[in-house]
Every structure is written in C-alpha cells, then in structure tokens.
Amino acid sequence: MNYSDSGYHWYPGHMTKAVRMMQENIGLIDLLIELIDARIPMSSRNPDIDRLGAGKARIILLNKSDLADPDCNRQWIAYFQEQGAHVLEVNSKTGAGVKAINGLVQEACREKIERDRKRGIVNRPVRAMVVGIPNVGKSTFINSFAGKACAKTGNRPGVTKGKQWIRLNKNLELLDTPGILWPKFEDKQVGMYLAFIGSMNDEVIMTEEMACSLLSVLHKSYPDALQARYGIAWEDDPWATLEAIARSRGCLTKGDGLDSRKAAGILIDDFRSGRLGRMTLEQIGTRC
Ligand code: G4P
C-alpha cells in the first residue's frame, strides 16, 4: 500500500487473490451478509457492492455498534431501511443483536424461498456468505453467529474443493470463509476514516497527521470528548490540541520537548477502543 497526495492507492497483491476468491464464491450463494463499521457506515462499504451482489438477497449489518453513537446507529438503520435494505446493528464481539439475524434472513430471502416452493423445492437452506472490507469484523462475526454450530457440512458437488459450509440451522448455511472486499480507496477522506478505525495499514499515514485529522472531526462532532478524557479544551487548531494532549499525558521527548507522536498514538488508541466514548464519524446531516 502506498499513500500520495492524489489519494490512497490500495490494492496489495493478497487482496487481488481474495477478490478473485470472492467472485468465485458469489455464484454459490443466495444471500450476502454485508458487514459495515457503524462508526463510518458509508466509507466502510465497498463501492461495487451493488454490482457484485446483483441478483442476490442482501443483509447489511452495522457491526461494532457498541463503539458507535447509539443515536446515529438508529439514524443509519432508518436511512438504510428507507432505501429498502434489510439492516440490523450488531456487536460481534459480544454477540449482541446476532440472534435477530435469523428472522431477517427469512425476510430478505422471502422471494427465493417462495420461488423454491413453487418449483416443489422445500427446505433447501439459504446459503450465505459474509463480506466486508478488512478489519470490519467478519471473522469475529462468523464465530459469533456460528457459535457452537461449527459442525462443517463437508465438500459439496459443484463447490470448489476445500470449501466449507457451516450449518447454522435447517434454514441457513454459511460459507466459513468471508469474502474480502476492497474499500473506496481513491477518496482521500474515505482513506482517512478507514485509517481512524484501523482498516488501513497504520504505516501508510503519519500518526500525527491521522491524529490531527481525527481531532478536527471530534471538534466538530464531539466537542466535549477531549475535556472528558484528557481534561483539555480545543486549542484553536488540531496541532496545538495534540500538544495539549501530550502535556496532559506527560508525553515528553528525551530533550523535554513534547512527544506529539506518542500523544497521537494515545488518542488513536483511545478512539479505536471506545475510551473516548461511543462515536460515529460519518453522520447523517451534521450531527445525526
Ligand atoms: P475481519 O475478519 O473483517 O478482518 O475482522 P476481525 O474479525 O479480525 O476483527 C477485527 C477487530 O475488530 C478485532 O479486534 C475484533 O475483536 C474487533 N471486533 C469485531 N467485531 C467487533 C464488534 O462488534 N465490536 C467491537 N468492539 N470490536 C469488534 P482486534 O483488536 O484485532 O482483536 P482482539 O484484540 O479483539 O482480539
């Protein structure tokens, strides 16, 4: 991966392989379970998902909802529902919200189930695949959703060798490997959001640059968060604010100067882990 002023260029070799695998698998499934990050519901979507998923039923899961602003979660759910999507908020780490997916699967696949029934096919389970950009929580979700139902069903005729299906119940089978999608990598703002949530390799962007950009977003959307966490106020510009965090956290270099890089690391860690509070960076309107 590399970064330049013209935007983010993100297409490492292993991604090409993953994408090919995804495209191969998509023919085998009825339903796409699309995971997005509730903190950046737009930027964590794949720009080609509508084309890739054409003709398939689809569910959108706002994952990591525990780290996002609860009001914003509700607003985003309403937004996607208005567009006709089947959507739920989940926390794959604890499993919260995951059970409700079974009902949604039936809803999303109603047409397919009805079509099967008319052809005399009954009880053919829906086959689903989890998809999403890196780090959005795909593996965590599969583990959480599959729970103890990890008995693999083995290879099937017509299924690429080695492919495994997890039988969740009589109505639903899940491909055990998620499909990795690429993000909208040409947009610099999207790239920065992805960096905040840790979906971009941290080496791509300078930590301080990332922290300053995050501080600007926080200043606009969550102006009290810095006071609550570090006991500091916004200082006219992001760099001065970062230095205030360095002072407050005692981040000093050997020569007794301020270690803004260390402060930047602290800020980003605090954001990613939710210690700054539940926050949604991409909001509908200005403040949800
Ligand atoms: P991926 O397959 O899409 O690449 O993502 P993966 O499941 O590896 O999850 C990426 C990180 O996101 C993991 O953290 C995972 O624990 C965390 N995660 C996934 N879903 C949720 C969620 O709903 N809420 C929260 N708070 N975190 C979630 P990690 O730091 O890489 O690992 P770990 O320290 O949690 O073990």
Side-chain angles (χ1 to χ4, degrees):
M1 273 195 276
N2 61 63
Y3 165 71
S4 78
D5 282 335
S6 58
Y8 293 85
H9 302 282
W10 186 356
Y11 219 87
H14 69 270
M15 200 85 154
T16 315
K17 194 175 158 225
V19 167
R20 203 179 314 124
M21 213 175 102
M22 220 279 299
Q23 282 164 337
E24 237 176 68
N25 289 340
I26 211 159
L28 310 170
I29 57 122
D30 309 300
L31 170 74
L32 279 179
I33 300 178
E34 181 193 1
L35 257 70
I36 59 178
D37 190 306
R39 294 166 296 175
I40 49 166
M42 282 297 160
S43 293
S44 58
R45 295 194 85 189
N46 168 275
D48 299 323
I49 187 73
D50 290 334
R51 185 178 56 77
L52 289 168
K56 307 286 174 191
R58 184 155 13 127
I59 287 177
I60 298 174
L61 297 180
L62 278 176
N63 193 38
K64 308 201 185 184
S65 59
D66 55 306
L67 298 174
D69 188 326
D71 286 342
C72 297
N73 287 344
R74 281 188 285 276
Q75 303 250 355
W76 277 111
I77 286 173
Y79 170 88
F80 286 120
Q81 281 172 338
E82 272 164 29
Q83 311 214 326
H86 300 277
V87 55
L88 266 180
E89 61 177 281
V90 294
N91 171 353
S92 297
K93 220 166 165 174
T94 62
V98 167
K99 273 209 176 111
I101 293 169
N102 286 311
L104 206 65
V105 168
Q106 295 304 304
E107 248 177 64
C109 296
R110 188 168 293 149
E111 261 179 41
K112 179 220 163 278
I113 293 166
E114 189 54 25
R115 219 169 35 236
D116 278 358
R117 200 185 56 78
K118 279 187 182 145
R119 288 184 192 150
I121 307 167
V122 281
N123 296 332
R124 186 167 85 74
V126 167
R127 288 188 187 153
M129 173 166 69
V130 174
V131 296
I133 65 164
N135 208 40
V136 80
K138 296 178 294 299
S139 308
T140 312
F141 170 75
I142 291 175
N143 288 335
S144 173
F145 192 35
K148 292 193 184 68
C150 272
K152 306 274 170 71
T153 54
N155 294 341
R156 293 275 179 85
V159 172
T160 312
K161 198 163 179 278
K163 211 128 286 178
Q164 297 283 345
W165 296 87
I166 305 166
R167 184 156 200 153
L168 294 166
N169 54 53
K170 68 178 182 8
N171 300 319
L172 184 59
E173 288 183 0
L174 188 67
L175 199 58
D176 77 340
T177 19
I180 303 172
L181 299 174
W182 56 100
K184 207 168 137 195
F185 45 83
E186 75 280 5
D187 182 310
K188 191 171 176 183
Q189 180 64 63
V190 171
M192 195 54 93
Y193 281 146
L194 293 169
F196 295 158
I197 65 161
S199 263
M200 278 278 228
N201 188 335
D202 277 351
E203 284 140 41
V204 177
I205 308 167
M206 296 280 293
T207 318
E208 287 107 314
E209 186 194 350
M210 203 200 301
C212 285
S213 181
L214 179 60
L215 283 170
S216 298
V217 178
L218 298 187
H219 176 52
K220 204 171 114 229
S221 300
Y222 297 97
D224 303 328
L226 298 179
Q227 187 67 49
R229 178 77 189 155
Y230 308 114
I232 60 144
W234 173 257
E235 299 247 354
D236 292 333
D237 71 75
W239 185 258
T241 309
L242 185 60
E243 289 190 329
I245 295 174
R247 269 192 296 279
S248 135
R249 282 293 186 260
C251 303
L252 300 173
T253 59
K254 275 195 184 131
D256 271 358
L258 290 173
D259 190 343
S260 48
R261 192 183 176 137
K262 189 167 177 201
I266 290 174
L267 175 78
I268 290 160
D269 254 21
D270 283 348
F271 167 73
R272 287 181 181 166
S273 62
R275 286 190 292 269
L276 277 178
R278 297 179 64 171
M279 294 175 168
T280 301
L281 302 180
E282 243 172 358
Q283 304 184 350
I284 298 172
T286 44
R287 180 71 179 82
C288 276

